[in-house]
Amino acid sequence: MSIRRAARARIIASAVVLASLPALTCTPAAAHDSAVRLDFLGERELPNAMAFQGTTVGGLSAISYDVRSGTYYVISDDRSQTGPARFYTAHVDFTDGTLTGVELTGTHPWLRPDGTAFPPTSTATATVAPDPEGIAVDPRDGTLVWTSEGERIVASDGPALLGDPWIRRATTTGAYTRQLPLPPQLHMNSQEFGPRKNQTLEGVTFTPDGQRIVTAMEDPLYQDGDDPTPEQGALTRITVHDARTGQPLAQYAYPLEPLFATPPAGSTDTNGVSDIVALDRDRFLVLERASIYTDNNWKARIYLVDLHGATDVLGRDSLTATSAQRVQPVRKTLVTDLSDVPGLTRVDNVEGITLGPRLPDGRRTVVLVSDDNFAPRQTTQFLAFAAHGI
């Protein structure tokens, strides 16, 4: 693949452009039940360890589209290790209704309240770098919100190093503006209560009216039960915040699917929510991603989720069911399993999802991105679909 280095880097995949294909094949019941259907428009890959404006491109964990400017914002989960914690801007090109190219157009570091970039995590200095995972554009003014999963290092022979997950507002150049309050259950704890390490605030979205910020936990809190296994799923949490005040308004249980295969003994492989994008105030597309990491075996599924009728669990410490506190989770319907998409050459660690522009025929584009974990055996993918029913 040829990479032209200039003020902007044009990245065109060497593969032949994949034409628009028929609607995706899902399980028949799910396909008939879902009000949303997706047509595959193609894929593009970026080179592994690609250099761009002084950074190494990788770890792309979420994506969000600004309808006013046509800009995509893509977050890296680099914890200031290969470079400062940062995000990228990009242009995604749809020509004749297919995905024809992806162009990175800029990068900015996330800044601390004092205006400096984040240093790496250090147990020696009790420094905690963010673990950036979610990003969303405010539809009202184009500013950003982003999430960090925080940190939880609990040593048997020393003090714990804890960093709360967070939801922060920022400018389009990464400058800090404010931080939203968390529900008390989402604060880190050295005891087995609250979030697990690296399983916290994974996805974030604005509702289209800009009045709500909605976040999704990747996996259950300790007190909400075990992570998904091949035998059973689990409950994690979706939280709705007031975008003006930042205060939590409501919280709902989200039912995760079981892990799709049996992992090796001692593995931490599981299934979790990797991103969320709002269709309206109560309906969302949710991306679940699972892995058997030792085999580089990944599964990603997109669900249509509706909050109507779900129990508000904002004040509950635990989602463990009792006769007095039964929880009605959100409703979810499978839209597609990426493993079933005709023409998709591989499924990697797909972590981000956003709604893009409408095509001339009225279908709404849906764009996904994968996190290569800065690993040579993985890839940075951009996948595009056209949605019916959005």
Side-chain angles (χ1 to χ4, degrees):
M1 179 180 294
S2 173
I3 304 172
R4 190 173 296 169
R5 296 292 303 276
R8 290 164 53 164
R10 181 77 176 175
I11 309 302
I12 308 270
S14 59
V16 175
V17 176
L18 294 172
S20 180
L21 296 171
L24 302 182
T25 303
C26 305
T27 14
H32 291 145
D33 289 346
S34 177
V36 176
R37 193 176 83 252
L38 299 180
D39 301 329
F40 186 46
L41 301 181
E43 61 180 306
R44 285 292 178 266
E45 293 186 6
L46 303 188
N48 186 262
M50 171 188 155
F52 179 75
Q53 295 187 0
T55 72
T56 299
V57 177
L60 304 187
S61 295
I63 185 169
S64 186
Y65 177 69
D66 183 357
V67 67
R68 303 185 315 165
S69 68
T71 299
Y72 289 82
Y73 291 86
V74 191
I75 201 169
S76 171
D77 68 2
D78 187 352
R79 305 194 65 173
S80 295
Q81 293 178 320
T82 72
R86 62 194 175 277
F87 64 95
Y88 296 90
T89 54
H91 174 73
V92 177
D93 188 26
F94 296 99
T95 300
D96 299 326
T98 60
L99 175 61
T100 53
V102 175
E103 176 187 1
L104 298 185
T105 58
T107 184
H108 297 279
W110 296 113
L111 301 180
R112 296 184 289 182
D114 65 3
T116 60
F118 290 94
T121 294
S122 169
T123 54
T125 60
T127 301
V128 176
D131 182 0
E133 291 290 351
I135 192 169
V137 178
D138 189 331
R140 297 171 301 178
D141 61 12
T143 59
L144 304 176
V145 64
W146 65 289
T147 63
S148 166
E149 288 200 284
E151 183 58 278
R152 185 180 185 274
I153 300 175
V154 180
S156 59
D157 57 351
L161 182 62
L162 303 177
D164 276 345
W166 70 48
I167 310 163
R168 287 190 171 180
R169 303 294 299 263
T171 69
T172 54
T173 58
Y176 171 92
T177 56
R178 68 188 176 104
Q179 184 165 319
L180 278 62
L182 291 176
Q185 297 83 4
L186 270 58
H187 291 283
M188 281 294 184
N189 196 310
S190 59
Q191 306 301 311
E192 291 193 349
F193 185 92
R196 291 174 165 88
K197 178 182 175 67
N198 200 35
Q199 294 185 3
T200 72
L201 295 174
E202 188 80 9
V204 63
T205 185
F206 280 90
T207 53
D209 59 12
Q211 295 182 6
R212 295 181 175 188
I213 295 171
V214 182
T215 62
M217 291 282 293
E218 182 174 8
D219 282 296
L221 302 173
Y222 276 110
Q223 65 270 26
D224 289 340
D226 294 333
D227 284 342
T229 67
E231 291 73 37
Q232 64 180 24
L235 291 179
T236 189
R237 302 191 187 211
I238 291 175
T239 307
V240 179
H241 292 254
D242 184 289
R244 183 180 60 84
T245 67
Q247 291 296 325
L249 298 175
Q251 192 176 76
Y252 303 97
Y254 177 89
L256 292 163
E257 297 300 304
L259 184 59
F260 66 97
T262 301
S267 165
T268 58
D269 291 320
T270 190
N271 177 47
V273 171
S274 63
D275 208 357
I276 182 171
V277 62
L279 305 182
D280 52 41
R281 285 174 66 92
D282 296 294
R283 293 189 313 143
F284 304 83
L285 293 181
V286 170
L287 179 62
E288 287 188 38
R289 181 262 292 114
S291 73
I292 305 297
Y293 187 75
T294 53
D295 298 332
N296 200 28
N297 188 5
W298 302 89
K299 180 174 281 289
R301 290 166 285 195
I302 301 170
Y303 292 90
L304 177 64
V305 172
D306 194 328
L307 305 184
H308 285 104
T311 306
D312 184 352
V313 297
L314 183 60
R316 296 195 186 182
D317 283 342
S318 174
L319 300 182
T320 303
T322 67
S323 57
Q325 293 183 315
R326 298 188 66 84
V327 173
Q328 178 62 51
V330 301
R331 290 179 292 156
K332 58 182 278 195
T333 306
L334 180 67
V335 175
T336 189
D337 184 328
L338 295 190
S339 301
D340 297 332
V341 175
L344 180 56
T345 59
R346 66 184 288 185
V347 178
D348 208 276
N349 181 25
V350 181
E351 287 206 4
I353 185 171
T354 191
L355 302 181
R358 291 195 180 276
L359 297 174
D361 63 11
R363 292 177 300 168
R364 187 73 181 268
T365 53
V366 177
V367 181
L368 291 82
V369 69
S370 72
D371 173 1
D372 68 351
N373 290 309
F374 293 93
R377 68 175 184 167
Q378 292 185 246
T379 186
T380 297
Q381 286 179 306
F382 286 81
L383 309 176
F385 300 82
H388 303 260
I390 296 178

